[in-house]
Amino acid sequence: MPENLLFEYAVIRVVPRVEREEFLNVGVILYCSARGFLQTRYLLDPQRLAAFSATLDLDELTHRLQAFERICAGRQTGGPIGQLATAARFRWLTAARSTIVQTSPVHPGLCTDPDQTLERLFEKLVK
């Protein structure tokens, strides 16, 4: 029987006007300590985003979400935050902030395969 692993995840949201507290889910970030796993998946659908807010800069959003990927990957490409331990990088990425890209509260769960779980959450919460 496969081993159940504790994981944590948060949904990545685009919040065009923070004062309105309206958001669109665009990605998921998942951390599994037992596997040293930290990855994100995102999708910027230009039509959905334009219907949600006509003033969004897709290039800027892409740049910000690519930073999530670089930090998850670690190493020097992730800058100073990318040099931190995996758990610290996850906590930094999911910290509360009042910017156009935010994350939901962190949710725990159990899985046997973090990759498959990330894909399942992405399909369910973003697509």
Side-chain angles (χ1 to χ4, degrees), residues 5-54:
L5 306 168
L6 178 65
F7 73 91
E8 298 173 76
Y9 77 95
V11 179
I12 302 169
R13 302 168 169 169
V14 170
V15 186
R17 293 178 54 196
V18 290
E19 70 275 10
R20 291 183 59 136
E21 298 184 9
E22 298 171 336
F23 60 85
L24 183 65
N25 293 346
V26 296
V28 177
I29 181 169
L30 189 138
Y31 167 61
C32 178
S33 176
R35 295 279 167 89
F37 182 95
L38 179 60
Q39 287 187 21
T40 187
R41 289 249 357 242
Y42 68 87
L43 173 67
L44 291 178
D45 182 329
Q47 290 179 328
R48 255 178 107 187
L49 288 165
F52 189 63
S53 174

Side-chain angles (χ1 to χ4, degrees), residues 74-96:
R75 302 181 298 276
Q76 287 185 324
T77 58
I81 305 302
Q83 306 293 311
L84 298 174
T86 307
R89 293 193 321 263
F90 178 71
R91 301 288 173 242
W92 190 88
L93 288 168
T94 58

Side-chain angles (χ1 to χ4, degrees), residues 73-114:
R75 302 181 298 276
Q76 287 185 324
T77 58
I81 305 302
Q83 306 293 311
L84 298 174
T86 307
R89 293 193 321 263
F90 178 71
R91 301 288 173 242
W92 190 88
L93 288 168
T94 58
R97 52 182 56 91
S98 293
T99 64
I100 193 167
V101 176
Q102 300 180 14
T103 58
S104 71
V106 173
H107 306 283
L110 293 173
C111 71
T112 56
D113 183 330

Side-chain angles (χ1 to χ4, degrees), residues 46-67:
Q47 290 179 328
R48 255 178 107 187
L49 288 165
F52 189 63
S53 174
T55 61
L56 286 173
D57 181 342
L58 289 181
D59 290 334
E60 176 67 21
L61 281 175
T62 299
H63 178 72
R64 290 178 185 225
L65 292 169
Q66 287 171 340

